[in-house]
Amino acid sequence: MNEFLPGTASLVEEIDKKLLVVLRDGRRLVGILRTFDQFANIVLEDTYERIFMDDTYGEKAVGLYLIRGENVVLLGEVDVDKEEEILKTKLKKVPFPEIEKRYNDDLQAKEEQAKQKRKMLQEHGIAIDPFTFADNLLSFE
C-alpha cells in the first residue's frame, strides 16, 4: 500500500505477519498478527514469550494471545530469515525457567539498587516524585 493510514488503521498492512511486541512490563512477545481494533488491541496467534540476556535467550509458547492496546510500547515486523540466522548462530538457547529466574533476579537487584539510591537522595533533601520512581514500576506481578 502506498497510501498513508493514520493511527491503528496502519496495522492493516501487518495482518498475517510475524511481529515482535514489547509490553509496558518489559515482556517481549512474538506471534502472528490476526486482528486488531480501533483501540490497538491486538490478537497474536502462535505466540511465544522471549527473554534475552547477554548472549542467551529462552522462549515459552503461550498460544493465542490478546493484548490490550494501552500495554503495547513497541510493535514491529520480524524478518523471519534474519531471526532464524541470529538465533542459530549468535545466541544460545537455554530453558525458559532458567533464563526467567536469572532475569527476575537481575530485575530485583536493579530495583534494590534504585531503592537505595532514592533513600540516599531523600536523606540529602532531594525530593523524589513517587510516580516516576515507583518501587513496583518494573514488577511482573
Side-chain angles (χ1 to χ4, degrees):
M1 292 183 166
N2 294 334
E3 207 173 300
F4 173 73
L5 298 170
T8 58
S10 62
L11 289 174
V12 166
E13 298 172 355
E14 306 304 323
I15 293 286
D16 295 332
K17 292 183 181 175
K18 190 173 189 178
L19 301 181
L20 167 68
V21 180
V22 179
L23 303 180
R24 283 192 324 183
D25 65 3
R27 287 183 290 166
R28 293 177 179 93
L29 301 171
V30 179
I32 299 170
L33 179 66
R34 290 301 179 202
T35 190
F36 65 95
D37 66 10
Q38 71 271 24
F39 303 110
N41 299 320
I42 61 176
V43 174
L44 296 178
E45 184 178 52
D46 299 329
T47 308
Y48 47 94
E49 180 179 352
R50 195 180 275 169
I51 296 176
F52 294 96
M53 285 198 71
D54 303 322
D55 60 345
T56 61
Y57 77 99
E59 54 189 24
K60 172 178 75 171
V62 292
L64 191 66
Y65 214 84
L66 171 64
I67 303 170
R68 191 173 169 129
E70 66 183 17
N71 292 319
V72 175
V73 174
L74 180 72
L75 179 141
E77 184 178 353
V78 174
D79 184 329
V80 179
D81 297 330
K82 285 184 181 178
E83 175 195 34
E84 190 174 312
E85 177 187 336
I86 290 170
L87 293 180
K88 286 184 177 178
T89 61
K90 299 185 180 184
L91 297 172
K92 178 184 172 194
K93 186 173 183 176
V94 297
F96 189 81
E98 177 185 319
I99 199 162
E100 184 177 36
K101 183 181 180 339
R102 282 181 38 212
Y103 181 79
N104 288 334
D105 290 346
D106 189 48
L107 190 59
Q108 283 181 334
K110 287 179 183 179
E111 287 175 355
E112 185 60 37
Q113 198 174 34
K115 282 182 189 179
Q116 291 174 354
K117 185 175 182 178
R118 284 191 301 279
K119 184 178 179 184
M120 184 185 71
L121 290 171
Q122 287 175 338
E123 288 172 356
H124 288 84
I126 299 174
I128 303 295
D129 177 10
F131 297 106
T132 304
F133 297 100
D135 289 342
N136 62 356
L137 189 61
L138 295 175
S139 171
F140 284 102
E141 297 161 357

